């Protein structure tokens, strides 16, 4: 039968009968013939994702220079090279090269993500060929193949189940479903979302229980993983706020410098009568003075320091600008399973005929208390509860093991594991129970029956017992009586349905436990044994609980003005319950994937700010939600661990992947990976991000007055017709020595108080606010007055030679910057404290280095030859120190005025 390779995308395979699916695919329950399979392989192609087209290495490296930071550095390097300042130009070009190498190594995350997804496909598969089981390479699986599935198998392609016995598949990485999903050959409704297509199994997911056979309908790009791979390759990555702001800042600064140079050139030649050659040299000096060539390097180094700090707080940064972007995040979109929750099913409640019992403790560690009406008690003293605990432990196949160092893990179904752990919390040893209640026979769980039953020997040698667990609506139909502390009585089904509804409304998965005595001679168990006359023991409520630290982190984010959105593939009721437990303000309502599909883009942009919980979300929904949030300028972080999260992780301003339970696809698509899978580490990373941005602002407000003061000094000299107080070569010295020492010290500043008590900055806010521009102009003016004033005092008042006057001017400029450095440690807070002068080891080291460098600049003959300096006397240094103190006091007085105005 001819193969239509388009069919997988156009046919609703989940809603077809198994026989019809086989017919449409030209197959049979016995599979394909070898010759037919080979022909289909040639037509459909191998079952693997295509290799991503990569840019050549030289293009990737060259692309690293297409960045405003690098362009500014290159311009500064060319200028210093033209001035024959080879050491400075060598340093600048070295910074450019290091930055380019970092970007080159870290680039290509999309290609790596595609490779990671491709690696999820099973390497081998068992199929029916010519009616016989045959093990083949997964890449040779074709549409129409009948695949045999056993526990532990990775599904090699998208398949339509044609027969199943107790099959359960772990789909968390693909759909976000927190527990393994029951699979059946029964068709699903046509409108069923991806997570509820129980008749399908998807490539890359894993069978954890049961056996099945299914016919392949999608391979390679025609699988769900292939579709996500295509989405990931089409997603555009956005520039970070810092890069956008620095690009704008660079354009404005360049235009301002060119305009200023043109005006200065015109004034000097027309009004002051300077020659063209003299003005050309003066304008070059002006440009060198005004260009903050150290700024890009300082920004890069500050970001790198942020990377190191975040690594110490379990946040691994893969892309340097993401450090600062974290500080501007206004919305965090988080996956639920494994991110906000533990991804460990936990028994939380028991509903008995005589009352309710709450169970404390989370995870798989057998530690926790039982409480009734808020009071702790010994569960084994309650005979009915003890019977439930025993039934839950013996009617289960899961194993709970101590992995060492306080860790516990479940082998098998997580829901069964939760029941076994609950018995351990009560002081029962599950292995001892299973030996005492030796299993004689069992009916395994199948979704058609919705229950599991075991026939277990009596520890005292009496009649064997039949234990049953399953869906409440099924178990209640099979029960005629209910157990109480006083004995058995007729069952009140309406009351039990109400109890089940109450547990479900709290987001719990509900199971019913029942039992009945078997016949003394029973050694075999079939469905007739459990068809009636069971005694209901009670209901169990289980949930994948929120992480304690995640709840604290959510509270911290909300107090910092950061909204938290939970986007999950799980059920809406469960998602609402988790959202409520986390304290999300909009958790009372949940939008499902179907709701999102029915909502226009314009309405979604409004609704996404009103709702905090989104359930049954597919990769397209997550991507659409992130895009809707970004539409109004919100800076969006997306956390996740599954393949289904990768496209949204890449689209988000900051993608945050889980390092322990996260897939490689998620990690490669993200800018940041959490080493401990802890949502709380995101709040710590945001704090570090805000600190990095604060420190960059401090560095900018520190560097620019230096350039401003130098430029204004040269302009003043041109306007007044005097010689230049500072030569271009001396300007480069000051810029280099202060950038690599004083400005760099600000990169090590710790977080200021209240950094997480303020809201995120506006996405469109310029990197230099009106206040900071005023600060730059104010300090530039102070430095102009101090530098030009001392220069004129030396030239006209003291009759000093130009070398001495210029040496005084340069040292005044540097001393003024030292004074301003300590004031810059706090943008508005007072610097009149002992901590301001001694609290930063980096600042003290920087000042010491600058003092040594300036001493060499002033007194060492080789430096005097290079820079045209002359030795200074004590009188010179006293005047310089006095003016520096005045600069510090003037800035502190301005800060005091600002504080008073803001207080009003």
């Amino acid at each position: 039968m001819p193969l239509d390779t388009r069919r997988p995308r156009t046919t609703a395979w989940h809603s077809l009968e198994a026989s019809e699916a086989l017919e449409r695919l030209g197959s049979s329950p016995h599979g394909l013939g070898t010759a037919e399979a080979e022909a289909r392989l040639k037509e459909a192609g191998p079952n693997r994702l295509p290799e991503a087209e990569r840019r050549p290495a030289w293009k990737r490296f060259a692309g690293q220079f297409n960045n405003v930071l690098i362009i500014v550095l290159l311009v500064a390097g060319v200028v210093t090279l033209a001035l024959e300042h080879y050491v400075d130009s060598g340093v600048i070009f070295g910074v450019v090269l290091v930055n380019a190498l970092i970007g080159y190594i870290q680039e290509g995350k999309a290609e790596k993500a595609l490779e990671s997804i491709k690696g999820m496909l099973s390497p081998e598969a068992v199929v029916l060929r010519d009616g016989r089981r045959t093990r083949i390479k997964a890449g040779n699986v074709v549409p129409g193949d009948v695949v045999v599935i056993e526990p532990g198998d990775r599904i090699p392609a998208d398949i339509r189940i044609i027969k199943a016995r107790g099959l359960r598949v772990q789909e968390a990485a693909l759909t976000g479903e927190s527990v393994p999903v029951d699979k059946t050959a029964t068709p699903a409704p046509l409108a069923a979302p991806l997570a509820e297509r129980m008749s399908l199994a998807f490539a890359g997911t894993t069978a954890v229980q049961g056996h099945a056979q299914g016919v392949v309908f999608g391979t390679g790009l025609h699988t769900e993983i292939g579709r996500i791979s295509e989405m990931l390759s089409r997603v555009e990555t956005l520039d970070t706020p810092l890069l956008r702001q620095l690009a704008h800042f660079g354009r404005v600064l360049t235009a301002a410098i060119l305009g200023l140079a043109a005006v200065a050139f015109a004034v000097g030649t027309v009004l002051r009568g300077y020659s063209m050659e003299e003005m050309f040299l003066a304008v070059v000096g002006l440009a060198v003075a005004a260009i903050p060539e150290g700024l890009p390097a300082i920004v890069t180094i500050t970001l790198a320091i942020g990377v190191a700090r975040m690594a110490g707080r379990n946040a691994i940064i893969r892309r340097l600008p993401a450090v600062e972007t974290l500080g501007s995040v206004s919305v965090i979109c988080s996956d639920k399973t494994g991110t906000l929750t533990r991804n460990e099913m936990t028994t939380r409640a028991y509903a008995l005929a005589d009352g309710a019992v709450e169970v404390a403790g989370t995870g798989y560690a057998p530690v926790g208390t039982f409480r009734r009406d808020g009071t702790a008690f010994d569960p084994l003293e309650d005979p009915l509860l003890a019977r439930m605990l025993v039934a839950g432990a013996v009617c289960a196949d899961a194993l709970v093991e101590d992995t060492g160092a306080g860790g516990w893990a479940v082998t098998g179904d997580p829901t069964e594991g939760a029941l076994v752990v609950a018995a351990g919390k009560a002081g029962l040893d599950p292995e001892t129970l299973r030996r005492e209640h030796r299993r004689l026979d069992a009916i395994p769980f199948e979704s058609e029956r919705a229950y599991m039953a075991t026939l277990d020997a009596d520890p005292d040698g009496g009649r064997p017992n039949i234990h049953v667990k399953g869906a409440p609506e099924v178990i209640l139909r099979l029960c005629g009586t209910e157990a109480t502390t006083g004995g058995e009585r007729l069952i009140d089904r309406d009351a039990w349905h109400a109890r089940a509804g109450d547990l479900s409304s709290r987001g719990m998965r509900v199971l019913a436990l029942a039992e009945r005595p078997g016949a003394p001679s029973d050694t075999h168990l079939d469905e007739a044994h459990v068809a009636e006359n069971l005694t209901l023991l009670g209901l169990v409520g289980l949930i994948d609980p929120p992480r304690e630290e995640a709840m604290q982190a959510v509270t911290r984010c909300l107090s910092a003005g950061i909204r938290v959105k939970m986007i999950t593939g799980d059920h809406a009721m469960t998602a609402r319950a988790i959202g409520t437990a986390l304290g999300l303000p909009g958790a009372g309502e949940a939008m499902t994937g179907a709701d999102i599909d029915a909502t226009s883009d314009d309405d979604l942009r409004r609704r996404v700010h009103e709702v905090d919980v989104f359930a049954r979300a597919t990769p397209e929904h997550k991507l659409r939600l992130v895009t809707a949030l970004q539409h109004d300028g919100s800076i969006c972080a997306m956390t996740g661990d599954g393949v289904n999260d990768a496209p949204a992780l890449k689209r988000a301003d900051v993608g945050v992947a889980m390092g322990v339970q996260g897939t490689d696809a998620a990690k490669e698509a993200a800018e940041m990976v959490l080493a401990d899978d802890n949502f709380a580490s995101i709040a710590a990373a945001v704090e570090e991000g805000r600190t990095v941005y604060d420190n960059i602002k401090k560095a900018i407000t520190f560097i620019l007055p230096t350039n401003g003061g130098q430029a204004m000094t040269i302009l003043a000299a041109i306007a007044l017709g005097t010689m230049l107080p500072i030569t271009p070569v001396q300007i480069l010295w000051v810029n280099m020595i202060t950038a690599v020492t004083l400005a760099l010290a600000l990169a090590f500043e710790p977080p200021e108080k209240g950094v997480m008590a303020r809201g995120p900055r506006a996405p469109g806010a310029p990197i230099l606010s009106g206040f900071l521009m005023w600060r730059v102009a104010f300090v530039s003016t102070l430095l102009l007055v101090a530098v030009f004033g001392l220069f004129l005092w030396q030239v006209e008042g003291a009759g000093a030679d130009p070398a001495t006057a210029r040496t005084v001017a340069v040292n005044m400029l540097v001393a003024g910057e030292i004074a301003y450095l300590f004031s810059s440690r706090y943008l508005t807070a007072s610097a009149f404290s002992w901590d301001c002068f001694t609290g930063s080891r980096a600042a003290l080291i920087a000042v010491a280095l600058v003092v040594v460098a300036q001493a060499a600049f002033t007194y060492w003959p080789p430096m005097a030859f290079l820079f045209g300096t002359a030795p200074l006397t004590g009188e010179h240094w006293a005047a310089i120190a006095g003016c520096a103190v005045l600069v510090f006091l003037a800035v502190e007085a301005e800060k005091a005025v600002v504080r008073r105005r803001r207080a009003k």
Side-chain angles (χ1 to χ4, degrees):
M1 179 179 178
L3 177 67
D4 181 1
T5 56
R6 296 171 299 173
R7 188 180 300 279
R9 294 296 180 91
T10 58
T11 304
W13 297 101
H14 59 281
S15 65
L16 299 180
E17 293 287 346
S19 58
E20 185 178 357
L22 287 167
E23 181 181 351
R24 290 200 185 192
L25 289 161
S27 188
S28 74
H30 305 294
L32 299 174
T34 301
E36 175 67 13
E38 290 176 353
R40 293 190 179 198
L41 183 61
K42 291 180 181 179
E43 186 173 357
N47 176 34
R48 56 175 175 260
L49 302 179
E51 293 285 345
E53 184 178 348
R54 296 190 178 187
R55 287 190 299 165
W58 70 269
K59 281 190 176 181
R60 289 179 57 202
F61 183 72
Q64 305 307 315
F65 297 92
N66 185 25
N67 182 297
V68 66
L69 304 179
I70 303 305
I71 291 172
V72 172
L73 275 176
L74 287 173
V75 170
V78 170
V79 170
T80 54
L81 188 62
L83 291 170
E84 299 182 355
H85 208 85
Y86 302 117
V87 175
D88 292 350
S89 61
V91 171
I92 293 172
F93 288 134
V95 170
V96 169
L97 181 62
V98 170
N99 191 81
L101 288 172
I102 291 172
Y104 174 78
I105 293 171
Q106 293 184 338
E107 202 197 52
K109 63 179 180 179
E111 291 88 346
K112 292 179 181 179
L114 292 174
E115 288 182 0
S116 301
I117 292 176
K118 183 181 66 176
M120 291 189 65
L121 298 177
S122 171
E124 291 187 333
V126 176
V127 300
L128 298 182
R129 292 276 174 89
D130 300 315
R132 297 190 301 272
R133 291 193 178 199
T134 305
R135 184 175 293 276
I136 64 172
K137 291 182 178 179
N140 294 334
V141 170
V142 298
D145 262 330
V146 174
V147 178
V148 179
I149 302 171
E150 303 288 345
D153 286 351
R154 181 171 286 183
I155 311 299
D158 285 2
I159 65 174
R160 169 64 168 88
I161 305 295
I162 58 176
K163 62 169 67 173
R165 179 177 175 83
L167 180 64
R168 309 191 79 190
V169 177
Q170 178 57 264
E171 295 182 342
L174 185 65
T175 67
E177 185 72 46
S178 57
V179 296
V181 180
D182 302 325
K183 296 295 182 179
T184 174
T186 304
L190 180 63
L194 185 70
E196 296 177 9
R197 296 177 184 178
M198 305 307 182
S199 57
L200 304 184
F202 301 105
T205 61
T206 304
V208 298
Q209 186 177 333
H211 309 269
Q213 292 182 7
V215 60
V216 174
F217 66 84
T219 60
L221 279 175
H222 293 291
T223 62
E224 279 298 311
I225 284 181
R227 188 172 57 81
I228 294 173
S229 172
E230 283 189 311
M231 287 175 56
L232 191 59
S233 66
R234 294 195 302 265
V235 173
E236 295 181 0
T237 303
L238 301 180
D239 274 343
T240 68
L242 180 64
L243 292 182
R244 292 196 295 267
Q245 292 169 348
L246 284 175
H248 176 73
F249 175 71
R251 290 191 297 269
V252 172
L253 184 62
T254 300
I257 290 172
L258 292 176
L260 198 61
V263 170
F265 190 86
V267 170
T269 55
V270 176
L271 299 181
R272 289 298 177 184
Y274 288 110
S275 68
M276 299 279 287
E277 182 179 352
E278 287 176 320
M279 281 311 304
F280 177 76
L281 292 175
V283 166
V284 168
L286 175 63
V288 171
I291 293 176
E293 62 265 24
L295 178 59
I298 291 300
V299 169
T300 301
I301 293 169
T302 304
L303 293 173
I305 292 170
V307 168
R309 283 179 170 177
M310 289 184 181
R313 302 180 77 169
N314 295 308
I316 310 302
I317 299 297
R318 299 185 62 253
R319 188 165 173 255
L320 207 56
V323 177
E324 175 275 333
T325 312
L326 277 162
S328 60
V329 162
S330 55
V331 183
I332 298 176
C333 297
S334 177
D335 187 38
K336 176 182 72 68
T337 305
T339 306
L340 290 168
T341 66
R342 300 176 61 93
N343 200 18
E344 296 174 341
M345 291 299 290
T346 303
T347 300
R348 275 291 170 86
Y350 286 92
L352 298 86
D354 299 329
V357 175
E358 300 291 327
V359 185
T362 56
Y364 294 137
V367 178
T369 59
F370 292 74
R371 294 179 178 274
R372 180 181 280 120
D373 298 326
T375 303
F377 71 102
D378 183 353
L380 299 183
E381 293 180 357
D382 184 326
L384 181 53
L385 180 57
R387 287 166 64 187
M388 286 192 72
L389 291 166
V390 171
V394 301
C395 189
D397 295 319
L399 299 175
V400 180
E401 299 174 311
D402 185 352
T403 60
W408 294 79
V410 164
T411 303
D413 182 78
T415 301
E416 290 189 346
L419 297 176
V420 175
V421 170
K425 291 177 180 179
L428 298 171
D429 178 39
E431 292 307 309
T432 301
L433 287 177
R434 288 172 178 174
R435 285 195 301 270
E436 293 175 348
H437 298 264
R438 180 173 53 88
R439 184 177 297 182
L440 304 176
D441 199 8
I443 300 175
F445 180 91
E446 288 191 9
S447 55
E448 289 86 351
R449 281 193 297 266
Y451 69 78
M452 173 184 179
T454 58
L455 178 66
D456 306 303
D458 183 71
D460 298 324
R463 301 169 64 178
N465 292 303
I466 298 172
H467 296 110
V468 186
K469 76 170 190 300
E473 61 273 17
V474 174
I475 301 299
L476 288 174
R477 286 200 306 268
L478 303 178
C479 292
T481 57
E482 61 186 44
T484 70
T485 53
E488 297 178 6
R489 66 188 181 200
L490 289 177
I491 190 169
D492 183 351
R493 290 189 176 85
D494 290 339
W496 286 107
H497 281 300
R499 294 184 182 107
D502 176 64
L503 293 174
S504 296
S505 68
R506 294 159 59 187
M508 297 187 191
R509 184 181 185 189
V510 184
L511 291 179
L513 292 172
E515 67 178 12
R516 58 161 287 192
S521 58
D522 281 346
T523 57
H524 173 71
L525 186 65
D526 57 38
E527 294 186 34
H529 289 93
V530 297
E532 57 183 358
N533 297 328
L534 293 178
T535 298
L536 182 68
L537 297 176
L539 305 175
V540 187
L542 310 101
I543 198 168
D544 178 16
R547 297 173 179 263
E548 289 291 334
E549 59 272 26
M551 290 189 282
Q552 297 170 8
V554 167
T555 300
R556 195 174 182 203
C557 287
L558 293 175
S559 68
I562 301 170
R563 292 167 294 161
V564 179
K565 309 285 182 182
M566 185 171 68
I567 307 175
T568 177
D570 217 335
H571 295 279
M573 190 173 292
T574 301
R576 280 200 306 269
I578 297 297
T580 301
L582 288 166
L584 300 183
E589 179 184 4
M591 282 188 76
T592 65
D595 296 331
I596 296 171
D597 287 333
T599 305
S600 67
D601 287 343
D602 289 340
D603 287 341
L604 187 61
R605 290 165 188 159
R606 175 181 55 83
R607 293 284 290 150
V608 77
H609 294 291
E610 300 170 349
V611 180
D612 288 340
V613 176
F614 301 88
R616 283 306 194 215
T618 64
E620 291 92 342
H621 296 141
K622 295 184 177 185
L623 187 56
R624 196 173 164 210
L625 289 168
V626 170
T627 305
L629 284 164
Q630 291 172 330
H631 182 265
D632 70 346
S634 295
I635 304 301
C636 183
M638 169 73 187
T639 71
D641 56 2
V643 179
N644 59 329
D645 298 322
L649 286 173
K650 185 183 175 188
R651 169 69 191 194
D653 297 281
V654 182
V656 184
M658 302 298 110
V660 178
Q661 297 187 10
T663 60
D664 286 343
K667 295 174 190 175
E668 295 296 342
E671 281 81 13
M672 184 174 86
V673 179
L674 298 183
D676 58 353
D677 281 16
N678 192 337
F679 184 86
S681 296
I682 299 174
V686 169
E687 180 182 12
E688 290 293 346
R690 291 187 174 189
T691 301
V692 164
Y693 189 76
D694 284 350
N695 290 349
I696 289 174
K697 283 201 303 183
K698 291 175 183 177
I700 290 174
T701 53
F702 174 78
I703 290 174
L704 291 187
T706 303
N707 299 101
Q710 292 171 160
M712 291 170 69
T713 300
I714 292 175
L715 285 174
I718 294 172
L720 295 175
T722 66
M723 73 174 76
L724 295 181
I726 306 177
T727 66
V729 175
Q730 290 171 340
I731 288 170
L732 278 172
W733 164 261
V734 173
N735 287 353
M736 184 186 73
I737 195 65
T738 56
V740 300
T741 53
L742 301 181
L744 183 58
L746 294 172
F748 293 90
E749 286 295 296
E752 290 193 18
K753 293 180 180 179
V755 69
M756 287 297 284
R758 65 180 190 235
R761 71 178 187 275
I767 197 165
L768 274 181
S769 63
F771 161 68
L772 292 182
M773 290 179 68
W774 152 254
R775 172 67 60 77
V776 169
F778 178 70
V779 178
S780 297
T781 304
L782 290 177
L783 293 177
L784 164 67
V785 172
V787 171
F788 206 79
L790 286 186
F791 176 76
L792 291 178
W793 167 58
Q794 285 294 301
V795 171
E796 298 181 4
D801 61 275
T804 300
R806 283 173 171 160
T807 305
V808 170
V810 170
N811 279 291
M812 178 63 249
L813 182 61
V814 173
E817 290 190 56
I818 290 175
Y820 182 47
L821 170 68
F822 291 104
S823 188
S824 295
R825 291 194 61 207
Y826 309 111
L827 288 175
T828 57
S830 173
F832 287 111
S833 67
W834 184 250
D835 181 69
C836 176
F837 295 99
T838 62
S840 173
R841 183 168 174 263
L844 294 177
I845 292 174
V847 170
L849 290 174
V850 168
V851 168
V852 172
Q854 284 305 114
F857 175 85
T858 305
Y859 296 107
W860 192 31
M863 297 287 279
F865 173 77
L866 287 174
F867 294 103
T869 61
L872 300 183
T873 65
E875 181 185 4
H876 294 136
W877 288 116
I880 290 170
C883 288
V885 171
L886 290 176
V887 168
F888 176 81
L889 294 175
V891 175
E892 288 305 306
E894 179 261 354
K895 287 161 67 174
V897 172
V898 169
R899 289 196 301 273
R900 282 198 297 271
R901 287 186 175 179
R902 289 184 175 181
K904 294 179 180 179

